[in-house]
Amino acid sequence: MTSRSAALNATFAALADPARRSMLLQLARGPASVSKLARPLSMSLPAVMQHLGVLEQAGLVRSNKLGRVRLCRLEPQALSQAEEWINQRRGEWEQRLDRLGDYLNSLNPRGDGNEHSK
């Protein structure tokens, strides 16, 4: 597996959890402390830290400690790589759907959308 593939896998795995997506939405508004990120979530602080660890390992979040406060910020480059991968696939998917549409239209040459009205 390439390092790019591993990075994408980590990104999509991190995005799979709703609590982590919620944290990313908060961080999209600007840097936030761990306690601020934890406030709207119904989980313990250690669980929040574990989720943040997953986000950091995926490269989606960076944090640094300022005194007794850990400040987190979004790292948009990891999301850009995932977006690029999705956009590449989108072209392939659209071509396949276009071919399927052409095939279905060939089954109904009148194009009236009702193949049962012969």
Side-chain angles (χ1 to χ4, degrees):
M1 180 182 318
T2 67
S3 63
R4 182 175 167 96
S5 180
L8 279 171
N9 288 347
T11 298
F12 286 123
L15 293 172
D17 186 274
R20 293 192 286 264
R21 289 192 306 272
S22 172
M23 289 180 203
L24 291 174
L25 287 173
Q26 278 188 272
L27 292 172
R29 292 185 287 255
S33 67
V34 172
S35 59
K36 185 177 178 183
L37 291 172
R39 210 168 288 138
L41 302 172
S42 58
M43 61 179 69
S44 68
L45 196 55
V48 170
M49 292 297 294
Q50 192 172 27
H51 282 294
L52 282 170
V54 172
L55 291 169
E56 284 192 84
Q57 285 178 343
L60 294 166
V61 169
R62 294 283 173 249
S63 69
N64 59 321
K65 197 158 184 167
L66 299 170
R68 294 176 49 190
V69 176
R70 179 164 295 281
L71 194 63
C72 302
R73 67 183 181 285
L74 185 64
E75 288 291 324
Q77 183 59 32
L79 288 174
S80 296
Q81 291 172 355
E83 180 183 23
E84 180 183 318
W85 183 90
I86 290 169
N87 286 335
Q88 288 171 350
R89 304 291 91 67
R90 179 179 290 135
E92 295 170 15
W93 298 329
E94 287 173 351
Q95 281 182 333
R96 289 178 182 170
L97 288 173
D98 287 345
R99 286 196 312 261
L100 176 61
D102 292 343
Y103 172 72
L104 293 174
N105 285 335
S106 75
L107 296 177
N108 181 15
R110 293 187 307 166
D112 63 5
N114 187 1
E115 65 275 354
H116 298 293
S117 62
K118 292 184 179 179

